[in-house]
Amino acid sequence: MTTIFLTAVSMIAFAGNSLLCRLALKSGSIDPASFTTLRLVSGAVTLAVIVRARSAGSRAKGDWPSALALFMYAASFSYAYVGLPTGVGALLLFGAVQVTMIGFGLMRGERLRAAQSWGLAAACGGLVALLMPGAHAPDLRASLLMVVAGAAWGAYTLRGRLAGPALQVTAGNFLRAAAFGLILSAGLWSRAQLTGPGIGFAVMSGAVTSGIGYAIWYTVLPRIRATQASAVQLTVPVIAALGAVALLGESLTWRLAWTSIVVLGGVGLVIGTAARRRIDEP
C-alpha cells in the first residue's frame, strides 16, 4: 500500500509540473525564461538538501551533457506552455519522450514484434493527428517546442540509465542546468516579468513537483518492475488534463480525448508486449 501511495503521489507531482507552468504563464505572472531558471534553481537546492539528509557526506553527481539535455527540456517546456493547453502539452511531452526512447532502442538494433510495431505506429499517428489543422488544433510552434522538450527528456533519461545513483545524479544535473538557466535569464533580463504569484508557482514547480517528486519516484523505482514504471507513467497526461479541467477551467476536446486514447494505448501496447516477451523468453 505504501508503494502504491508513493507512486500515485509521484504521478500527481509530475502532472503538477504541467499545471503549475501553464497556470503561471497563462496568467502572465512570469516570463518563460524566469520560470525555467527559478524551477531549476529551486529544484537544485531541494535535491541537494535531500541528498545530504539521506546520507551524510553524499555529494551531487551528474555531468554537463546530461545537464544540457535537462535544461533544454525545462526551457522548451516553459516556452511551449505559453501557447498550449495543459492536457495537450502533457500528451505531446509524454508521447515525444516515449517515441524518443523507443526510437533509440531501434537504432541500437532492437526489434519490435508485430503488435509493438502497430503500437508505435498508432502512437506516432495519434501525435500527428493531434497537430493536424482544424478547429481544435494546438499552436504549431508551441507544439513543436513541447516535442523538443520531450525528446530532450528522453535523451536525459537514456543518459541517466548508467550514470549512477539516480537521486545524486539528478541533483548534480539540476545544479548544472541551473547555471544554463541563469545564463538564459541574464540574456533576456530586459524581457523579465516577475510577480509574487509567478515566482511562487516556479519555486513550487522546482522544489515540490520536481525536486520532492523525483525523490519520491526514485524511492519507488527499486520496488517495482521497469515495465510497471513505464506503464504507470501513462497516467500523467490523463491526470494533467483532468486537473486542468478542474483547476484551470480548460475544456476537454474530442480531439484531445481520442488522440490520447490512441497515443497512450499505442505506447501501452509496446510496453505490454515487451513485458510479455521477457516473461515468455527462457
Side-chain angles (χ1 to χ4, degrees):
M1 291 300 297
T2 301
T3 299
I4 294 173
F5 173 75
L6 292 177
T7 300
V9 170
S10 300
M11 297 306 103
I12 292 171
F14 294 158
N17 276 321
S18 292
L19 291 166
L20 288 169
C21 187
R22 178 58 178 163
L23 178 60
L25 297 174
K26 180 181 180 181
S27 64
S29 59
I30 194 170
D31 63 286
S34 297
F35 186 94
T36 300
T37 302
L38 287 171
R39 179 187 177 189
L40 291 171
V41 170
S42 56
V45 172
T46 302
L47 286 166
V49 170
I50 293 173
V51 167
R52 289 296 181 91
R54 284 192 171 185
S55 179
S58 294
R59 295 182 179 181
K61 297 185 178 181
D63 58 80
W64 286 103
S66 294
L68 180 59
L70 177 61
F71 166 74
M72 288 297 296
Y73 149 73
S76 300
F77 180 90
S78 298
Y79 278 94
Y81 265 129
V82 173
L84 282 181
T86 308
V88 172
L91 179 61
L92 286 171
L93 176 71
F94 174 83
V97 169
Q98 296 300 320
V99 169
T100 298
M101 296 180 68
I102 295 169
F104 178 77
L106 293 176
M107 290 175 60
R108 295 189 62 186
E110 294 181 12
R111 294 183 180 181
L112 298 180
R113 289 187 172 185
Q116 291 177 297
S117 298
W118 281 109
L120 179 59
C124 293
L127 291 175
V128 172
L130 179 63
L131 300 177
M132 292 292 288
H136 299 290
D139 180 80
L140 182 59
R141 177 178 175 275
S143 298
L144 293 177
L145 280 171
M146 191 59 83
V147 170
V148 170
W153 184 257
Y156 177 77
T157 302
L158 289 167
R159 287 187 57 84
R161 284 181 169 179
L162 302 175
L167 190 60
Q168 292 173 244
V169 169
T170 301
N173 287 332
F174 257 82
L175 182 62
R176 292 175 175 82
F180 289 122
L182 290 170
I183 294 172
L184 174 67
S185 289
L188 298 176
W189 180 249
S190 61
R191 303 181 186 179
Q193 184 174 352
L194 295 167
T195 67
I199 293 172
F201 293 142
V203 171
M204 187 178 296
S205 176
V208 180
T209 57
S210 292
I212 296 177
Y214 293 145
I216 295 173
W217 179 237
Y218 292 139
T219 300
V220 171
L221 273 179
R223 308 181 188 181
I224 61 178
R225 299 173 183 171
T227 50
Q228 291 175 320
S230 298
V232 76
Q233 291 180 66
L234 292 170
T235 63
V236 174
V238 178
I239 295 171
L242 295 177
V245 172
L247 302 176
L248 305 184
E250 296 183 2
S251 59
L252 183 62
T253 65
W254 280 109
R255 178 187 286 224
L256 176 59
W258 75 260
T259 52
S260 295
I261 293 172
V262 172
V263 172
L264 301 181
V267 172
L269 187 59
V270 175
I271 295 171
T273 304
R276 289 194 298 272
R277 182 176 181 177
R278 281 191 287 271
I279 291 172
D280 295 339
E281 287 175 349

